[in-house]
Amino acid sequence: MTMQQRTEPSPAAVLIAVAVLALVLTVAFGPLGFVIGLALFALMFIGTKRGPAAEQIAPVRTRSRIRRLSTAGRVAIVGESHYQDAIAEVAKHATAQTLEDAIPATAVLVPEPVNRHDHQAVRVDLLRGDGSAITAGYLRGDQASDYQPLLLELADRGEVGSCPARIMGGGQRYYGVHLHLGAPRLLLLDHEALGTAPTMPAEHQVSVTGEDAHQLVLHRVVNGRTPVHVIAELRDCRIARGSHVGEHTLEVLLEGERVGQLTYAMGLRYCDLAQEWRARTGRALCEAVITNEGTRGLQAKLLLPK
């Protein structure tokens, strides 16, 4: 992401440049040149004292790596009424009156610890088609205080958090924006080896079966920490045992290795959706949470559409 910023020469550099000019004028024109140079020096000195107070300097031009955040939640932002033109630009002035018609966008979350109104503020920007960002609003104050520490950690690493956004409204209605954003506790994905490919909407927890036979893989993935939030891949498979032997379901892979599968009933529910997602994006990816269940060992739960 690139943000524009205007830079100004320092006052010391300006004064040195004018002093050199005054010296040149003195050598070239004698006393008259000295007087002209002295006048220029005085004018520039006054300008350097007043300049920064007269206008606010824009942010510096920076580049940050975009870090995908969990989408396992829905968060409405506030303050959109102040940024209607910006949101309309991203929405291309389209209208959306229902959730089904909501206009997709990509949001980035920018912590603002020096915000003069709220030092815990988190600004929400939307990405334009060229990758530049434009402000659409802010997280609500009580939510911002929970998200900002994690976002500041990312900023220290040169990263900015990103999540899907949906725009509604237009026409005679104000535009509103909500985010597909996970809770702060599991906001950061612990495994991103699958890159930035989109994941299925994370709306509903679905249990995985057969993890007991794949504990070594799960332990390697969690690396001693639980819970961890990861990206899993779903692939077609057949049930090998039980009353539904030979029937289709979906196996679950982490880092390319199997860690379990869906039950027959869940396979019936999600096989077509996974196939559709795979055809559209290349892979059927979803978010998952791995927890330590004591005597049951490490268990995985997928976050899938309702």
Side-chain angles (χ1 to χ4, degrees):
M1 182 189 71
T2 302
M3 292 183 290
Q4 296 280 349
Q5 194 167 17
R6 200 166 70 92
T7 58
E8 301 284 349
S10 68
V14 172
L15 294 179
I16 291 171
V18 175
V20 171
L21 177 60
L23 180 60
V24 171
L25 289 173
T26 300
V27 172
F29 301 105
L32 179 60
F34 177 78
V35 172
I36 295 172
L38 187 62
L40 287 173
F41 186 89
L43 289 172
M44 294 302 294
F45 182 79
I46 293 171
T48 58
K49 290 296 185 183
R50 293 182 178 175
E55 68 173 300
Q56 183 179 0
I57 298 175
V60 281
R61 185 179 180 85
T62 59
R63 285 192 177 276
S64 299
R65 187 177 80 88
I66 291 180
R67 169 74 176 268
R68 181 171 57 179
L69 302 175
S70 167
T71 65
R74 301 294 178 268
V75 175
I77 73 172
V78 297
E80 303 106 305
S81 61
H82 301 292
Y83 305 100
Q84 288 295 296
D85 290 343
I87 300 171
E89 178 187 340
V90 174
K92 299 180 180 177
H93 299 276
T95 61
Q97 307 304 327
T98 66
L99 282 173
E100 291 74 19
D101 298 328
I103 302 158
T106 299
V108 290
L109 305 182
V110 183
E112 289 188 344
V114 296
N115 185 298
R116 63 177 180 168
H117 301 294
D118 181 4
H119 68 276
Q120 294 181 320
V122 174
R123 191 178 79 237
V124 178
D125 293 350
L126 298 179
L127 295 185
R128 297 184 178 101
D130 63 1
S132 63
I134 189 167
T135 299
Y138 282 80
L139 292 187
R140 202 176 63 223
D142 58 330
Q143 293 177 322
S145 62
D146 293 331
Y147 283 99
Q148 195 197 72
L150 291 167
L151 298 171
L152 286 172
E153 288 180 21
L154 293 182
D156 288 341
R157 302 201 294 263
E159 297 177 323
V160 60
S162 173
C163 66
R166 296 293 181 267
I167 301 170
M168 291 187 60
Q172 301 301 313
R173 294 174 54 194
Y174 271 123
Y175 281 110
V177 179
H178 69 269
L179 310 178
H180 289 220
L181 182 67
R185 187 174 68 92
L186 290 173
L187 186 64
L188 302 183
L189 295 167
D190 296 275
H191 170 60
E192 292 200 285
L194 294 170
T196 57
T199 54
M200 288 186 273
E203 301 170 337
H204 175 67
Q205 279 197 358
V206 174
S207 296
V208 177
T209 65
E211 301 106 309
D212 55 323
H214 306 282
Q215 290 292 299
L216 288 178
V217 176
L218 289 167
H219 276 287
R220 187 177 70 246
V221 171
V222 304
N223 195 25
R225 298 178 299 115
T226 54
V228 298
H229 198 172
V230 297
I231 298 176
E233 182 173 6
L234 302 180
R235 289 200 310 213
D236 295 331
C237 72
R238 291 185 180 273
I239 298 173
R241 61 176 63 89
S243 58
H244 298 288
V245 62
E247 298 286 355
H248 286 281
T249 190
L250 294 167
E251 64 176 349
V252 181
L253 294 91
L254 295 178
E255 299 183 3
E257 296 192 60
R258 180 185 171 100
V259 296
Q261 65 185 35
L262 298 189
T263 64
Y264 171 68
M266 287 296 104
L268 282 179
R269 180 173 178 178
Y270 287 108
C271 272
D272 289 345
L273 179 61
Q275 185 177 3
E276 175 188 331
W277 197 265
R278 194 179 301 114
R280 182 148 54 98
T281 68
R283 309 177 82 169
L285 304 179
C286 66
E287 296 180 33
V289 177
I290 303 173
T291 57
N292 190 334
E293 301 296 331
T295 57
R296 295 179 58 212
L298 297 176
Q299 302 290 307
K301 290 189 183 297
L302 306 183
L303 303 176
L304 294 173
K306 289 183 179 178

